[in-house]
Amino acid sequence: MLAQTAIQSGSFRQTSGRSLRTETPVRPHLCGSTIELLGAPMSFGRNAEIYGENEPADYLYKVVSGTVRTYKILSDGRRQIGAFYLPGDIFGLEVEDEHAFSAEAITDVRVLVIKRSAVMALAARDHDIARQLWTLTGRELHRVQDHILLLIKTAQERVAGFLLEMADRVSGGNAVELPMSRQDIADYLGLTIETVSRTLTQLENAAAISVPSSRHIVLRNRAALTRMNA
Amino acid sequence: MLAQTAIQSGSFRQTSGRSLRTETPVRPHLCGSTIELLGAPMSFGRNAEIYGENEPADYLYKVVSGTVRTYKILSDGRRQIGAFYLPGDIFGLEVEDEHAFSAEAITDVRVLVIKRSAVMALAARDHDIARQLWTLTGRELHRVQDHILLLIKTAQERVAGFLLEMADRVSGGNAVELPMSRQDIADYLGLTIETVSRTLTQLENAAAISVPSSRHIVLRNRAALTRMNA
DNA sequence: CGACCATTTGATATGGATCAAGCGATGTGG
DNA sequence: CCACATCGCTTGATCCATATCAAATGGTCG
């Protein structure tokens, strides 16, 4: 049998009070700018569910602050995390009418909630919007394809790859502030917490990283990490 | 270290003579009908490369007969098969400008080759076409997401899941004619040939399937297979 | 301070990989 | 038509990476 995931039974308080204060305009990514205008700001507390698997996908979301995880639970309790979404990322966009994964706030999270029907209406008239939707789905596809490649690698390769990915995305140079727990990382990488922890220790001993505190990791030797990323 | 994939060194003759004979009209799936009109029939011999990873994605393809695999090779030679494409399936459709995977004919294959620029031009004027492209990408995304779930399961679950999937797709009732080798299956499931072979034997001993010949498998107990699919 | 998590570390078990034969099929040349 | 290579697959023996089980450590909050 494989990893039995302990679903954290944290506080599931949902501070869903739709705050009315104006959001600071987020840099107009390739995605967005127009789409964002449709968004209503909303907040979720740590571990709050944003939507569940198989629920109607009436909304999509853009992360303003905080981190979101999407995941599926297998019948026997194993959890697979599909992705982590950081500020600027869009999630919950579906082509079909239901969400394929569940989504939860990892930290306190602020998002823009965007009505799908509104976007679709826009897309029906504006080709550029339609193109953006397709591009977003395509980008997601690429991400998932890369994730598959991760899952056939050794533990060391997975962890090294994960750190490099996170370093690129949070762009704090070589210092990475991890918003997610070891359990989250493990469920993303298809490993156990123990293996993730041990692998980090190995990488530290190999002088590839340092771990001043468990959520704070410094890449000391990117070349080495890249090399073992295979 | 993980599985070292022996890339079969088969005959790579490429019977790419663009046959001019009219194709029998394929049932107008959700995808296609209009798109297909743009297609030029083309054939590839067993193991012929259809396109390579990172090549410009100037064409997409619809399988008329035979089976296609897409794959990536990791630096150390490990191969991951991304998907198998059967008659009726469309592959090689990219949102970006390059192919993310390589594609090869598993058997002798006939495809319709469709110029991407032509489809894009159509899509620019016809919303329905644009919608179809998006839908195709979305469907592919779902497929890859399911593939991820496969990869975190036990060998038995992976093989059972694979058999059920194939049975659904080739729709020969409970009799499945596998077009691909054990190595292909292994590289799709993230296992070794030996493990795939042993697992099939187990399933046979458990009376879940029978294997009259190595490429021909009969599902004897779908319920059992579904149950162990987790 | 003490309870509670999250994380690390240690000891052991095990599923699947690896290494190595054996076994049919299929095909080829004598 | 048969001996014999070749290829794809199966089976067996052993090994090892990662899971599992268990305990210690450390940070956080009341």
Side-chain angles (χ1 to χ4, degrees):
Chain A
M1 281 298 107
L2 289 179
Q4 188 74 19
T5 296
I7 306 299
Q8 45 271 76
S9 49
S11 57
F12 273 71
R13 68 206 153 83
Q14 176 169 349
T15 42
S16 63
R18 174 172 299 208
S19 89
L20 289 179
R21 72 183 202 66
T22 321
E23 294 299 322
T24 57
V26 188
R27 70 217 126 111
H29 244 282
L30 232 184
C31 49
S33 51
T34 319
I35 288 179
E36 273 160 39
L37 298 178
L38 306 174
M42 191 166 170
S43 298
F44 293 89
R46 202 163 109 76
N47 288 325
E49 172 171 310
I50 299 174
Y51 56 77
E53 194 182 333
N54 298 328
E55 282 180 10
D58 295 333
Y59 299 93
L60 50 136
Y61 305 81
K62 176 158 184 166
V63 181
V64 175
S65 68
T67 305
V68 170
R69 65 177 164 247
T70 55
Y71 65 93
K72 282 194 180 191
I73 306 280
L74 297 193
S75 52
D76 64 346
R78 276 172 286 172
R79 181 181 68 160
Q80 176 62 38
I81 289 189
F84 297 115
Y85 295 95
L86 304 178
D89 293 341
I90 287 179
F91 68 96
L93 169 62
E94 306 284 340
V95 180
E96 327 282 318
D97 290 327
E98 293 186 354
H99 287 297
F101 284 72
S102 303
E104 283 176 356
I106 288 184
T107 61
D108 287 350
V109 159
R110 284 184 304 144
V111 294
L112 290 179
V113 185
I114 300 155
K115 206 164 175 81
R116 197 178 109 110
S117 58
V119 180
M120 297 303 282
L122 265 189
R125 277 179 293 112
D126 185 341
H127 257 295
D128 202 51
I129 298 285
R131 187 59 148 88
Q132 278 182 41
L133 289 181
W134 189 39
T135 301
L136 281 172
T137 302
R139 205 171 291 169
E140 194 70 4
L141 177 57
H142 255 106
R143 215 191 38 67
V144 181
Q145 285 167 339
D146 285 346
H147 197 170
I148 281 193
L149 290 181
L150 247 199
L151 293 179
I152 65 163
K153 297 183 183 177
T154 64
Q156 204 178 56
E157 290 165 347
R158 295 186 213 196
V159 172
F162 172 74
L163 292 177
L164 288 168
E165 184 201 330
M166 288 306 293
D168 280 354
R169 292 178 64 190
V170 307
S171 66
N174 284 327
V176 184
E177 177 77 25
L178 295 176
M180 72 289 286
S181 70
R182 293 287 186 271
Q183 186 65 62
D184 287 335
I185 298 172
D187 289 349
Y188 178 72
L189 298 180
L191 299 170
T192 58
I193 15 176
E194 292 96 328
T195 299
V196 170
S197 180
R198 272 187 252 271
T199 305
L200 287 170
T201 315
Q202 280 173 227
L203 293 181
E204 192 170 23
N205 292 338
I209 64 174
S210 63
V211 189
S213 82
S214 73
R215 299 293 182 101
H216 185 212
I217 294 188
V218 180
L219 310 195
R220 292 227 156 285
N221 189 345
R222 263 179 198 262
L225 290 172
T226 306
R227 204 172 321 118
M228 60 183 118
N229 189 217
Chain B
M1 280 301 106
L2 290 179
Q4 189 77 17
T5 296
I7 307 299
Q8 46 270 76
S9 49
S11 60
F12 274 71
R13 69 205 151 82
Q14 176 168 346
T15 40
S16 63
R18 174 171 301 204
S19 86
L20 289 180
R21 73 185 200 66
T22 321
E23 293 300 323
T24 57
V26 188
R27 70 215 127 115
H29 242 282
L30 231 184
C31 49
S33 49
T34 319
I35 287 179
E36 275 158 38
L37 298 177
L38 306 173
M42 191 164 171
S43 298
F44 293 88
R46 204 165 109 77
N47 288 325
E49 172 172 310
I50 299 173
Y51 56 76
E53 194 182 332
N54 297 328
E55 281 180 12
D58 295 333
Y59 299 93
L60 51 137
Y61 305 81
K62 176 157 185 166
V63 180
V64 174
S65 68
T67 304
V68 171
R69 64 176 165 248
T70 54
Y71 66 94
K72 281 194 182 194
I73 305 280
L74 296 194
S75 51
D76 63 347
R78 277 171 285 173
R79 181 180 69 161
Q80 176 63 37
I81 289 190
F84 297 115
Y85 296 95
L86 305 178
D89 293 340
I90 288 180
F91 67 97
L93 169 63
E94 306 284 340
V95 180
E96 326 283 318
D97 290 327
E98 293 186 354
H99 286 297
F101 285 72
S102 303
E104 283 177 355
I106 288 184
T107 60
D108 287 350
V109 158
R110 284 184 304 144
V111 294
L112 289 179
V113 185
I114 301 154
K115 205 163 175 64
R116 197 177 109 109
S117 58
V119 181
M120 296 303 282
L122 265 189
R125 275 179 295 109
D126 184 341
H127 256 296
D128 203 50
I129 298 285
R131 187 59 148 88
Q132 278 183 40
L133 290 180
W134 189 40
T135 301
L136 281 173
T137 302
R139 207 172 289 171
E140 193 70 4
L141 177 57
H142 256 107
R143 217 194 35 68
V144 180
Q145 285 168 340
D146 284 345
H147 197 169
I148 281 193
L149 290 181
L150 248 200
L151 293 179
I152 65 162
K153 297 183 182 178
T154 63
Q156 202 177 59
E157 291 165 345
R158 294 185 213 196
V159 173
F162 172 73
L163 291 177
L164 289 169
E165 185 202 330
M166 288 306 293
D168 279 354
R169 292 178 64 189
V170 306
S171 65
N174 284 327
V176 184
E177 177 76 25
L178 296 175
M180 72 289 287
S181 69
R182 293 287 187 270
Q183 186 65 61
D184 286 334
I185 298 173
D187 289 349
Y188 178 73
L189 298 179
L191 299 169
T192 58
I193 16 175
E194 292 97 329
T195 299
V196 171
S197 180
R198 272 187 253 270
T199 305
L200 287 171
T201 313
Q202 280 173 224
L203 293 180
E204 192 170 23
N205 292 338
I209 64 174
S210 62
V211 189
S213 82
S214 73
R215 299 292 183 104
H216 185 212
I217 294 188
V218 180
L219 309 194
R220 292 229 157 282
N221 190 345
R222 265 179 196 260
L225 289 172
T226 306
R227 205 172 321 119
M228 58 184 118
N229 188 218

